[in-house]
Amino acid sequence: MPIDRDRERARRRYARRQVSQQARAQRQRRNQQVVGAVVAVLVVVGGVLALTRLVGDPPATRATSSTGPKQYPSAPPTTLAEGKRWTATVTTNRGVVTMELYGDEAPQTVSSFLFLARDGYYDKTPCHRLTLSAPLQVLQCGDPTGKGTGGPGYGYGIENAPADGKYPAGTLAMARGNDPNTNGSQFFVTWGDSTLPTDGGGYSIFGRVTKGLDVVQGVADKGTSDGQPDGSPKEAIDIESIAVKPA
């Protein structure tokens, strides 16, 4: 009868809706479980990630050039450092920071730094990251994009990393990703005594601040832009130029 057919069609539509609703509910439960698991992992290892990945965290909030930084096909030869010490005068909008570079202990790192400084790669670039909580107390610079993910287009390995993971205040070292061969242009200055993990080879020490550490510490005293222990500096600090010469 027509009425029976209508009832059967209605019953089938209802059954299909029930199946669809159950499927949506299952997807939502799965998504919630995934999000919960991710949050749990981040809570557990958040502090470790802050130490083990000094490149790419966190994105800066300041505007950068839309043209992008220069890219180079390969790292300069280690002979550029000439196996000797160098002096780098870093002029920032907050003051001058003078550094001694260890070309005898970290020839590839110093050769790269000399090359990039002479080519103006660091000119008019921000220091994009500040960390405030021990054991990681650093100001990170060297990414023209200001996002913490930029580099010169080449990478190289670790040199002169301390076996104990100790980086005293005033240490100049290279930032990198999880891959030990991702050293590039980003570097950091420890404004306070810091300890970094040695897993993966540690982080290359290629110099020290000899004058002007108070400039960096003054920026650290102002904190981060969002009040968190890891973020862009509240008091913006930009590298205006870097001049290098033999020590």
Side-chain angles (χ1 to χ4, degrees), residues 24-241:
R24 282 198 299 270
Q26 289 175 348
R27 286 195 298 270
Q28 289 173 349
R29 285 194 296 270
R30 284 196 299 269
N31 290 339
Q32 290 170 350
Q33 290 169 352
V34 170
V35 171
V38 170
V39 170
V41 170
L42 291 176
V43 169
V44 171
V45 304
V48 176
L49 288 175
L51 292 174
T52 58
R53 186 164 178 78
L54 280 171
V55 174
D57 294 319
T61 58
R62 305 174 60 212
T64 58
S65 172
S66 60
T67 58
K70 294 180 181 178
Q71 298 287 281
Y72 307 90
S74 61
T78 59
T79 54
L80 200 63
E82 299 180 18
K84 62 185 181 183
R85 302 267 168 135
W86 296 78
T87 298
T89 302
V90 183
T91 302
T92 79
N93 62 321
R94 301 298 172 188
V96 176
V97 180
T98 305
M99 304 170 173
E100 181 183 22
L101 308 180
Y102 303 157
D104 52 342
E105 298 180 30
Q108 181 62 81
T109 308
V110 173
S111 291
S112 175
F113 189 86
L114 294 175
F115 169 74
L116 294 174
R118 288 169 175 168
D119 201 43
Y121 183 86
Y122 292 122
D123 294 356
K124 310 299 181 186
T125 62
C127 292
H128 61 275
R129 183 185 185 190
L130 177 68
T131 66
L132 302 175
S133 300
L136 188 63
Q137 302 178 105
V138 307
L139 177 68
Q140 189 168 330
C141 315
D143 175 10
T145 72
K147 297 178 180 179
T149 56
Y154 60 77
Y156 52 89
I158 299 168
E159 301 176 301
N160 196 41
D164 60 2
K166 303 295 184 182
Y167 295 74
T171 298
L172 176 63
M174 289 303 298
R176 64 172 177 83
N178 291 327
D179 184 340
N181 293 305
T182 52
N183 293 274
S185 61
Q186 293 191 46
F187 62 90
F188 61 90
V189 173
T190 56
W191 59 267
D193 293 340
S194 299
T195 302
L196 280 74
T198 57
D199 295 346
Y203 297 83
S204 303
I205 293 178
F206 69 104
R208 67 183 181 94
V209 174
T210 57
K211 187 178 180 181
L213 185 59
D214 59 312
V215 172
V216 180
Q217 291 170 334
V219 172
D221 287 343
K222 296 296 193 300
T224 60
S225 57
D226 61 1
Q228 297 300 308
D230 187 345
S232 57
K234 181 177 182 179
E235 183 175 80
I237 176 170
D238 298 320
I239 296 173
E240 296 178 351
S241 64

